[in-house]
Amino acid sequence: MNKRSISVLLVAVIVLLSGCDPSAQDPNVLLSEHQQDPIEALEVTSDVDRSQFNYKETFYVPIYSDIYTDRDNRKVLLSATLSVRNTTLKKSLYINKIDYYDTDGALVKSYLSKPIELSAMATLNYIVEKEEDKGGSGANFIIEVEGVDETVRPVIEAVMIGNFSNKGFAFSTEGTPVIH
């Protein structure tokens, strides 16, 4: 191979690899208003006086990465959207933990490196793509929230969508408080 062919090949490889940027393909980034990961955008950057917080709760949110569709045990992969909603008109909700577990209870991924602040009436939506099948049919999120008082109690849901043959389907689950 001559130098020109090697140069052309190297440029082609660089172009192909630059198209593999995971953040450029992440639907959470692509679908956000500012093309930024929604969790990173909400990270708390200043000190918060937690001494005034009188509400803290942990929620279990079922997520189905896949379901079985018929007696042949065909598995259909699902995408899921986790939705955490602050239902107060004036107070912020703080989220300290968003951990994703598989069917066997093993931690798959911790989504937070810092707490995030969800302002009054704001919503955090986060997509788990259907290609991410590590969770299995019994996947779940554990979400820890806190705030100044119990009026900042969130609504936490997950919406799963999928298709099989020529049929599409969707269903939702609700977060349940965890008893410690």
Side-chain angles (χ1 to χ4, degrees), residues 142-166:
I142 295 294
I143 300 173
E144 183 184 277
V145 300
E146 67 180 328
V148 293
D149 57 37
E150 289 199 17
T151 63
V152 295
R153 190 175 298 248
V155 169
I156 303 175
E157 300 172 308
V159 177
M160 277 65 58
I161 61 170
N163 63 328
F164 177 69
S165 187
N166 63 346

PDB file of all heavy atoms in Angstrom, residues 142-166:
ATOM      1  N   ILE A 142     -34.165   2.284  42.026  1.00  0.00           N
ATOM      2  CA  ILE A 142     -34.303   2.758  43.399  1.00  0.00           C
ATOM      3  C   ILE A 142     -33.968   4.239  43.346  1.00  0.00           C
ATOM      4  O   ILE A 142     -32.894   4.627  42.881  1.00  0.00           O
ATOM      5  CB  ILE A 142     -33.359   2.016  44.374  1.00  0.00           C
ATOM      6  CG1 ILE A 142     -33.748   0.549  44.471  1.00  0.00           C
ATOM      7  CG2 ILE A 142     -33.356   2.692  45.744  1.00  0.00           C
ATOM      8  CD1 ILE A 142     -35.108   0.289  45.114  1.00  0.00           C
ATOM      9  N   ILE A 143     -34.919   5.061  43.794  1.00  0.00           N
ATOM     10  CA  ILE A 143     -34.766   6.508  43.716  1.00  0.00           C
ATOM     11  C   ILE A 143     -34.940   7.093  45.108  1.00  0.00           C
ATOM     12  O   ILE A 143     -35.946   6.823  45.775  1.00  0.00           O
ATOM     13  CB  ILE A 143     -35.794   7.121  42.744  1.00  0.00           C
ATOM     14  CG1 ILE A 143     -35.576   6.516  41.353  1.00  0.00           C
ATOM     15  CG2 ILE A 143     -35.693   8.634  42.713  1.00  0.00           C
ATOM     16  CD1 ILE A 143     -36.599   6.879  40.347  1.00  0.00           C
ATOM     17  N   GLU A 144     -33.962   7.877  45.534  1.00  0.00           N
ATOM     18  CA  GLU A 144     -34.025   8.523  46.845  1.00  0.00           C
ATOM     19  C   GLU A 144     -34.219  10.016  46.644  1.00  0.00           C
ATOM     20  O   GLU A 144     -33.465  10.649  45.898  1.00  0.00           O
ATOM     21  CB  GLU A 144     -32.735   8.258  47.616  1.00  0.00           C
ATOM     22  CG  GLU A 144     -32.740   8.834  49.015  1.00  0.00           C
ATOM     23  CD  GLU A 144     -31.400   8.619  49.690  1.00  0.00           C
ATOM     24  OE1 GLU A 144     -31.180   7.525  50.237  1.00  0.00           O
ATOM     25  OE2 GLU A 144     -30.585   9.561  49.639  1.00  0.00           O
ATOM     26  N   VAL A 145     -35.244  10.565  47.317  1.00  0.00           N
ATOM     27  CA  VAL A 145     -35.560  11.989  47.201  1.00  0.00           C
ATOM     28  C   VAL A 145     -35.611  12.627  48.585  1.00  0.00           C
ATOM     29  O   VAL A 145     -35.799  11.933  49.589  1.00  0.00           O
ATOM     30  CB  VAL A 145     -36.905  12.218  46.478  1.00  0.00           C
ATOM     31  CG1 VAL A 145     -36.883  11.648  45.077  1.00  0.00           C
ATOM     32  CG2 VAL A 145     -38.062  11.642  47.264  1.00  0.00           C
ATOM     33  N   GLU A 146     -35.441  13.945  48.609  1.00  0.00           N
ATOM     34  CA  GLU A 146     -35.611  14.673  49.859  1.00  0.00           C
ATOM     35  C   GLU A 146     -36.004  16.115  49.571  1.00  0.00           C
ATOM     36  O   GLU A 146     -35.841  16.608  48.455  1.00  0.00           O
ATOM     37  CB  GLU A 146     -34.375  14.600  50.741  1.00  0.00           C
ATOM     38  CG  GLU A 146     -33.153  15.296  50.243  1.00  0.00           C
ATOM     39  CD  GLU A 146     -31.973  15.155  51.208  1.00  0.00           C
ATOM     40  OE1 GLU A 146     -32.167  15.080  52.430  1.00  0.00           O
ATOM     41  OE2 GLU A 146     -30.844  15.139  50.703  1.00  0.00           O
ATOM     42  N   GLY A 147     -36.533  16.754  50.610  1.00  0.00           N
ATOM     43  CA  GLY A 147     -36.941  18.145  50.492  1.00  0.00           C
ATOM     44  C   GLY A 147     -37.274  18.724  51.848  1.00  0.00           C
ATOM     45  O   GLY A 147     -37.137  18.058  52.881  1.00  0.00           O
ATOM     46  N   VAL A 148     -37.769  19.961  51.839  1.00  0.00           N
ATOM     47  CA  VAL A 148     -38.003  20.669  53.096  1.00  0.00           C
ATOM     48  C   VAL A 148     -39.105  20.039  53.939  1.00  0.00           C
ATOM     49  O   VAL A 148     -39.035  20.038  55.162  1.00  0.00           O
ATOM     50  CB  VAL A 148     -38.313  22.171  52.869  1.00  0.00           C
ATOM     51  CG1 VAL A 148     -37.099  22.888  52.335  1.00  0.00           C
ATOM     52  CG2 VAL A 148     -39.496  22.365  51.974  1.00  0.00           C
ATOM     53  N   ASP A 149     -40.143  19.509  53.307  1.00  0.00           N
ATOM     54  CA  ASP A 149     -41.224  18.852  54.048  1.00  0.00           C
ATOM     55  C   ASP A 149     -41.956  17.890  53.116  1.00  0.00           C
ATOM     56  O   ASP A 149     -41.607  17.759  51.945  1.00  0.00           O
ATOM     57  CB  ASP A 149     -42.176  19.875  54.671  1.00  0.00           C
ATOM     58  CG  ASP A 149     -42.783  20.837  53.653  1.00  0.00           C
ATOM     59  OD1 ASP A 149     -43.080  20.404  52.517  1.00  0.00           O
ATOM     60  OD2 ASP A 149     -42.953  22.014  53.996  1.00  0.00           O
ATOM     61  N   GLU A 150     -43.001  17.235  53.645  1.00  0.00           N
ATOM     62  CA  GLU A 150     -43.697  16.203  52.873  1.00  0.00           C
ATOM     63  C   GLU A 150     -44.517  16.741  51.712  1.00  0.00           C
ATOM     64  O   GLU A 150     -45.029  15.967  50.914  1.00  0.00           O
ATOM     65  CB  GLU A 150     -44.565  15.355  53.800  1.00  0.00           C
ATOM     66  CG  GLU A 150     -43.714  14.468  54.679  1.00  0.00           C
ATOM     67  CD  GLU A 150     -44.482  13.309  55.267  1.00  0.00           C
ATOM     68  OE1 GLU A 150     -45.572  12.987  54.777  1.00  0.00           O
ATOM     69  OE2 GLU A 150     -43.957  12.709  56.210  1.00  0.00           O
ATOM     70  N   THR A 151     -44.629  18.044  51.594  1.00  0.00           N
ATOM     71  CA  THR A 151     -45.375  18.592  50.451  1.00  0.00           C
ATOM     72  C   THR A 151     -44.602  18.433  49.144  1.00  0.00           C
ATOM     73  O   THR A 151     -45.177  18.611  48.078  1.00  0.00           O
ATOM     74  CB  THR A 151     -45.727  20.082  50.651  1.00  0.00           C
ATOM     75  OG1 THR A 151     -44.514  20.843  50.736  1.00  0.00           O
ATOM     76  CG2 THR A 151     -46.586  20.276  51.881  1.00  0.00           C
ATOM     77  N   VAL A 152     -43.317  18.098  49.223  1.00  0.00           N
ATOM     78  CA  VAL A 152     -42.526  17.913  47.995  1.00  0.00           C
ATOM     79  C   VAL A 152     -42.541  16.459  47.518  1.00  0.00           C
ATOM     80  O   VAL A 152     -41.736  16.066  46.702  1.00  0.00           O
ATOM     81  CB  VAL A 152     -41.064  18.399  48.146  1.00  0.00           C
ATOM     82  CG1 VAL A 152     -41.003  19.880  48.357  1.00  0.00           C
ATOM     83  CG2 VAL A 152     -40.353  17.654  49.243  1.00  0.00           C
ATOM     84  N   ARG A 153     -43.465  15.690  48.021  1.00  0.00           N
ATOM     85  CA  ARG A 153     -43.586  14.288  47.618  1.00  0.00           C
ATOM     86  C   ARG A 153     -43.778  14.202  46.093  1.00  0.00           C
ATOM     87  O   ARG A 153     -44.703  14.808  45.550  1.00  0.00           O
ATOM     88  CB  ARG A 153     -44.770  13.670  48.340  1.00  0.00           C
ATOM     89  CG  ARG A 153     -44.863  12.180  48.200  1.00  0.00           C
ATOM     90  CD  ARG A 153     -45.997  11.674  49.049  1.00  0.00           C
ATOM     91  NE  ARG A 153     -45.733  11.983  50.450  1.00  0.00           N
ATOM     92  CZ  ARG A 153     -45.485  11.074  51.369  1.00  0.00           C
ATOM     93  NH1 ARG A 153     -45.494   9.814  51.048  1.00  0.00           N
ATOM     94  NH2 ARG A 153     -45.249  11.419  52.610  1.00  0.00           N
ATOM     95  N   PRO A 154     -42.919  13.451  45.409  1.00  0.00           N
ATOM     96  CA  PRO A 154     -42.975  13.406  43.944  1.00  0.00           C
ATOM     97  C   PRO A 154     -43.971  12.367  43.418  1.00  0.00           C
ATOM     98  O   PRO A 154     -44.452  11.513  44.156  1.00  0.00           O
ATOM     99  CB  PRO A 154     -41.556  12.961  43.575  1.00  0.00           C
ATOM    100  CG  PRO A 154     -41.182  12.054  44.715  1.00  0.00           C
ATOM    101  CD  PRO A 154     -41.796  12.693  45.942  1.00  0.00           C
ATOM    102  N   VAL A 155     -44.247  12.476  42.149  1.00  0.00           N
ATOM    103  CA  VAL A 155     -44.915  11.407  41.401  1.00  0.00           C
ATOM    104  C   VAL A 155     -43.815  10.767  40.565  1.00  0.00           C
ATOM    105  O   VAL A 155     -43.119  11.463  39.815  1.00  0.00           O
ATOM    106  CB  VAL A 155     -46.043  11.956  40.504  1.00  0.00           C
ATOM    107  CG1 VAL A 155     -46.549  10.884  39.548  1.00  0.00           C
ATOM    108  CG2 VAL A 155     -47.177  12.515  41.342  1.00  0.00           C
ATOM    109  N   ILE A 156     -43.629   9.454  40.722  1.00  0.00           N
ATOM    110  CA  ILE A 156     -42.590   8.739  39.983  1.00  0.00           C
ATOM    111  C   ILE A 156     -43.251   7.595  39.221  1.00  0.00           C
ATOM    112  O   ILE A 156     -43.940   6.765  39.812  1.00  0.00           O
ATOM    113  CB  ILE A 156     -41.496   8.195  40.924  1.00  0.00           C
ATOM    114  CG1 ILE A 156     -40.892   9.348  41.736  1.00  0.00           C
ATOM    115  CG2 ILE A 156     -40.422   7.467  40.122  1.00  0.00           C
ATOM    116  CD1 ILE A 156     -39.882   8.906  42.774  1.00  0.00           C
ATOM    117  N   GLU A 157     -43.030   7.578  37.918  1.00  0.00           N
ATOM    118  CA  GLU A 157     -43.637   6.568  37.059  1.00  0.00           C
ATOM    119  C   GLU A 157     -42.622   6.102  36.024  1.00  0.00           C
ATOM    120  O   GLU A 157     -41.602   6.754  35.801  1.00  0.00           O
ATOM    121  CB  GLU A 157     -44.843   7.160  36.308  1.00  0.00           C
ATOM    122  CG  GLU A 157     -45.924   7.680  37.205  1.00  0.00           C
ATOM    123  CD  GLU A 157     -47.011   8.423  36.441  1.00  0.00           C
ATOM    124  OE1 GLU A 157     -46.673   9.331  35.667  1.00  0.00           O
ATOM    125  OE2 GLU A 157     -48.175   8.077  36.625  1.00  0.00           O
ATOM    126  N   ALA A 158     -42.949   4.996  35.393  1.00  0.00           N
ATOM    127  CA  ALA A 158     -42.180   4.523  34.246  1.00  0.00           C
ATOM    128  C   ALA A 158     -43.180   4.123  33.159  1.00  0.00           C
ATOM    129  O   ALA A 158     -44.224   3.547  33.456  1.00  0.00           O
ATOM    130  CB  ALA A 158     -41.311   3.334  34.622  1.00  0.00           C
ATOM    131  N   VAL A 159     -42.849   4.466  31.931  1.00  0.00           N
ATOM    132  CA  VAL A 159     -43.682   4.101  30.789  1.00  0.00           C
ATOM    133  C   VAL A 159     -42.835   3.230  29.874  1.00  0.00           C
ATOM    134  O   VAL A 159     -41.742   3.625  29.467  1.00  0.00           O
ATOM    135  CB  VAL A 159     -44.180   5.351  30.030  1.00  0.00           C
ATOM    136  CG1 VAL A 159     -44.987   4.940  28.803  1.00  0.00           C
ATOM    137  CG2 VAL A 159     -44.989   6.249  30.943  1.00  0.00           C
ATOM    138  N   MET A 160     -43.317   2.032  29.587  1.00  0.00           N
ATOM    139  CA  MET A 160     -42.625   1.118  28.693  1.00  0.00           C
ATOM    140  C   MET A 160     -43.386   1.032  27.374  1.00  0.00           C
ATOM    141  O   MET A 160     -44.621   1.018  27.375  1.00  0.00           O
ATOM    142  CB  MET A 160     -42.548  -0.297  29.302  1.00  0.00           C
ATOM    143  CG  MET A 160     -41.428  -0.521  30.285  1.00  0.00           C
ATOM    144  SD  MET A 160     -41.472   0.397  31.831  1.00  0.00           S
ATOM    145  CE  MET A 160     -42.988  -0.030  32.578  1.00  0.00           C
ATOM    146  N   ILE A 161     -42.634   1.006  26.272  1.00  0.00           N
ATOM    147  CA  ILE A 161     -43.259   0.836  24.961  1.00  0.00           C
ATOM    148  C   ILE A 161     -42.493  -0.219  24.176  1.00  0.00           C
ATOM    149  O   ILE A 161     -41.295  -0.424  24.383  1.00  0.00           O
ATOM    150  CB  ILE A 161     -43.330   2.151  24.160  1.00  0.00           C
ATOM    151  CG1 ILE A 161     -41.935   2.710  23.894  1.00  0.00           C
ATOM    152  CG2 ILE A 161     -44.200   3.176  24.862  1.00  0.00           C
ATOM    153  CD1 ILE A 161     -41.942   3.874  22.912  1.00  0.00           C
ATOM    154  N   GLY A 162     -43.206  -0.884  23.303  1.00  0.00           N
ATOM    155  CA  GLY A 162     -42.587  -1.897  22.460  1.00  0.00           C
ATOM    156  C   GLY A 162     -43.507  -2.262  21.314  1.00  0.00           C
ATOM    157  O   GLY A 162     -44.623  -1.750  21.207  1.00  0.00           O
ATOM    158  N   ASN A 163     -43.028  -3.153  20.480  1.00  0.00           N
ATOM    159  CA  ASN A 163     -43.859  -3.642  19.394  1.00  0.00           C
ATOM    160  C   ASN A 163     -43.521  -5.099  19.122  1.00  0.00           C
ATOM    161  O   ASN A 163     -42.413  -5.561  19.361  1.00  0.00           O
ATOM    162  CB  ASN A 163     -43.708  -2.785  18.134  1.00  0.00           C
ATOM    163  CG  ASN A 163     -42.308  -2.813  17.580  1.00  0.00           C
ATOM    164  OD1 ASN A 163     -41.333  -2.929  18.308  1.00  0.00           O
ATOM    165  ND2 ASN A 163     -42.200  -2.689  16.272  1.00  0.00           N
ATOM    166  N   PHE A 164     -44.534  -5.807  18.644  1.00  0.00           N
ATOM    167  CA  PHE A 164     -44.394  -7.214  18.298  1.00  0.00           C
ATOM    168  C   PHE A 164     -45.216  -7.442  17.047  1.00  0.00           C
ATOM    169  O   PHE A 164     -46.399  -7.103  17.001  1.00  0.00           O
ATOM    170  CB  PHE A 164     -44.893  -8.095  19.449  1.00  0.00           C
ATOM    171  CG  PHE A 164     -44.848  -9.555  19.138  1.00  0.00           C
ATOM    172  CD1 PHE A 164     -43.637 -10.204  19.011  1.00  0.00           C
ATOM    173  CD2 PHE A 164     -46.013 -10.274  18.964  1.00  0.00           C
ATOM    174  CE1 PHE A 164     -43.586 -11.558  18.719  1.00  0.00           C
ATOM    175  CE2 PHE A 164     -45.970 -11.623  18.674  1.00  0.00           C
ATOM    176  CZ  PHE A 164     -44.765 -12.265  18.555  1.00  0.00           C
ATOM    177  N   SER A 165     -44.560  -7.962  16.017  1.00  0.00           N
ATOM    178  CA  SER A 165     -45.206  -8.153  14.732  1.00  0.00           C
ATOM    179  C   SER A 165     -45.710  -6.789  14.257  1.00  0.00           C
ATOM    180  O   SER A 165     -44.944  -5.852  14.159  1.00  0.00           O
ATOM    181  CB  SER A 165     -46.323  -9.186  14.871  1.00  0.00           C
ATOM    182  OG  SER A 165     -46.869  -9.504  13.624  1.00  0.00           O
ATOM    183  N   ASN A 166     -47.001  -6.657  14.010  1.00  0.00           N
ATOM    184  CA  ASN A 166     -47.522  -5.370  13.559  1.00  0.00           C
ATOM    185  C   ASN A 166     -48.310  -4.653  14.659  1.00  0.00           C
ATOM    186  O   ASN A 166     -49.105  -3.773  14.402  1.00  0.00           O
ATOM    187  CB  ASN A 166     -48.405  -5.554  12.323  1.00  0.00           C
ATOM    188  CG  ASN A 166     -49.631  -6.391  12.617  1.00  0.00           C
ATOM    189  OD1 ASN A 166     -49.717  -7.047  13.656  1.00  0.00           O
ATOM    190  ND2 ASN A 166     -50.582  -6.380  11.700  1.00  0.00           N
TER     191      ASN A 166
END
